[in-house]
Amino acid sequence: MAPSKTRYEFGGPLGAAAIMVGLPLLFNVLYLTCNDKTGCPAPILLTPRELTWEKLKSQIPLPQDGIRGFASWEVTGWLLTYYMFSMILFVALPAQTVTGTKLRESGRCLPYKFNSAFSSTLVQLVIAAVGTYIQGSKFVVWMFITDNYLQLLTASLILSFGISIWVYARSFGVKPGNRDLRELAVNGHTGNVIYDFFIGRELNPRVTLPVFGEIDVKTWLEMRPALTSWILLNLAFVAKQHRNYGRISNSILLTTAMQTYYALEGQYFEEGLLRMMDVTTDGLGFMLTFGNITLVPFLYSTQCRYLAVYPVDLSTPAVAAIGAVYALGLYIFRAANDQKLRFRMQPDHPSVRGLPYLQTKRGTKLLTGGWWGMSRHMNYLGDWIQAIPFSISTGLAGYLILPASLAGASPEAMVMADGRVVVQGAAKGWGMIFTYAYVFWFGILLIHREGRDTAACAEKYGDDWEKYKKIVRWKIIPGIY
Ligand code: NDP
């Protein structure tokens, strides 16, 4: 069995509890306070001195039937149907078997069934394209997503908790030396229920279902519902913008295109997941389950949700600049990740053969040149740079929604199909709290992730890691951090 650790991360059990209570609440707050009823943010938030619950309540899209309206059996049923469909595609589409990295306890490797995540998304996009061709922006799936966003969020939260409880309970079936190669995550079984539930006890939970066969729960969740539903949510908001204004702005098209490419590329190179910390080190608990199936689709699609109500028309130079930043980030991200992969898998390849490295006592080599000589995580820097354009497309975000009678009140006013008027007014800039939350959060995630990886490497490599840190001084940004 992996040794039980008490080196807590995320502020230990208290921090984990705060995250598990706080994040679901925050996601609801983000939706309610940046809304398509009164504004982004809701106007009363701009004058905090006048803020009362009654006023706020009247400006946020609370369900008609109170707290019960946050959830819906029907919407939850459709979300589960969507997961089931994704599972059917997982079984039906051709895929190949790939061998995972060596497991810590047994030294053996698990097989994984890849790469049908990409083709599975393509099938879903083709269905959506046919539906959109027939029904236009009123395609039933797009309408369903935007009309039931809050209930979908609740269903996704319930599912995140449900899966986390299930994998936590099942993890107690992991026995040393079992034939199924089940293992506990090194940092996931401290004995503290709250912490272990959050961080994930079992490293590689798998389930064998009738008809569907064996499914590796973690990689399945990470690659399929998480990334595909992000794309679908974005497209639903593109359709909503079209219903609102009868046109599609270049900003929402650009954001959707960049994010879709990011998600599809991840799915196309699905195998790369096997070398990520998520698969090699972290157990499956609330952190990864919520992060994958709720945080990714619902936070990452915020920009398109915003642009559906406030279309931004970017100038051609702005489109070119945003595209260039994205391409730069993408290039660094991919080049750094590919270099490490090639160095490890094909050390004689001409592109990596001459690069300097540190031979460790553990047997593996650490690159000290190329991208990995500039900083210890240039791949994180590239990933963050490519995330900036997602938010920048929303500009100095913020809008107010005024009654139809005020149409023409301001030259910048935009009139929606239902007659309501959208202006930036006093909200200008304040909407950035919502539309830039992603890039801010992602920066924190990557800094925190770098710390976690460094701690793991210090443990794996001991003195060699200290030597490596002296050669490669910078953590993420050369010369700065
Ligand atoms: P990395 O791909 O950076 O892998 C870190 C591991 O690589 C270390 O544990 C070590 O493992 C090995 N390593 C470290 N330094 C070197 C070196 N100099 N030479 C050779 N090997 C080295 O980490 P992640 O798994 O965190 O990230 C993978 C990608 O996923 C990143 O590009 C990240 O940006 C992205 N990502 C995206 C997220 C999103 O939400 N969009 C979320 C999280 C990650 P060992 O030596 O044992 O092989």
Side-chain angles (χ1 to χ4, degrees), residues 262 277 340 344 367 379-380 383 449 453 460-461:
Y262 184 81
M277 195 199 293
K340 182 173 67 129
R344 284 281 173 86
L367 263 173
N379 54 344
Y380 288 2
D383 210 354
R449 197 175 174 91
D453 190 46
K460 275 188 278 190
Y461 289 112

Side-chain angles (χ1 to χ4, degrees), residues 437-448:
Y438 166 69
V439 72
F440 178 72
W441 170 86
F442 196 42
I444 297 194
L445 176 140
L446 292 173
I447 289 172
H448 185 254

